[in-house]
Amino acid sequence: QAQLEESGGGPAQPGGSLRLSCVASVRTFSNYAMGWFRRAPGLEREFVAAISPAGGVTYYADSAKGRFTISKDIPENTMYLQMNSLKAEDTAVYYCSARNSAGSTAYDDDYGQGDWYGSWGQGTQVTVSS
């Protein structure tokens, strides 16, 4: 499966911005649906955003809509999450995920389900505080 490496996390102030990156070591990046999930201490893992294999369709959790933007740079095998207007509740470890969707049908609801993805990065910490 895909080997994933996240980067870009760190401290931020409320209202600030961060851009997370996820590099996927795969042969054909355009075959992979990609997602961002996060887990705050003591809470369940939650969906943040996802993008279709070719990058044409994006999905966002309600908490991310209007603030976060997910994208894929296919030639560079990199997925990004641009996070603006950060809030304290965005504090979490953010995980990159991937699913090889070649030859299969993906439904909108699939993208928000963590168990649908086959590969995960090790996470990058985002801490939003004053």
Side-chain angles (χ1 to χ4, degrees):
Q1 295 182 336
Q3 180 179 345
L4 307 174
E5 182 176 358
E6 305 100 330
S7 63
Q13 296 183 6
S17 298
L18 288 172
R19 189 176 77 159
L20 308 184
S21 300
C22 173
V23 178
S25 298
V26 298
R27 294 182 180 180
T28 307
F29 192 41
S30 59
N31 285 345
Y32 288 82
M34 304 291 295
W36 288 101
F37 291 76
R38 68 188 183 188
R39 187 174 184 179
L43 300 179
E44 296 285 339
R45 180 182 63 191
E46 65 174 341
F47 168 72
V48 178
I51 189 165
S52 61
V57 184
T58 58
Y59 305 87
Y60 296 95
D62 288 343
S63 61
K65 290 179 180 178
R67 301 190 299 126
F68 295 0
T69 303
I70 189 171
S71 61
K72 293 182 75 175
D73 186 331
I74 291 176
E76 294 187 359
N77 278 23
T78 303
M79 174 182 65
Y80 299 98
L81 183 68
Q82 177 66 47
M83 303 188 294
N84 298 326
S85 302
L86 285 165
K87 304 175 181 179
E89 51 262 44
D90 295 320
T91 297
V93 177
Y94 284 71
Y95 297 92
C96 172
S97 60
R99 175 185 172 89
N100 189 340
S101 295
S104 64
T105 300
Y107 300 94
D108 288 352
D109 289 348
D110 292 335
Y111 286 88
Q113 303 299 316
D115 57 4
W116 186 66
Y117 297 88
S119 301
W120 293 86
Q122 294 184 346
T124 184
Q125 176 72 51
V126 171
T127 303
V128 184
S129 62
S130 300

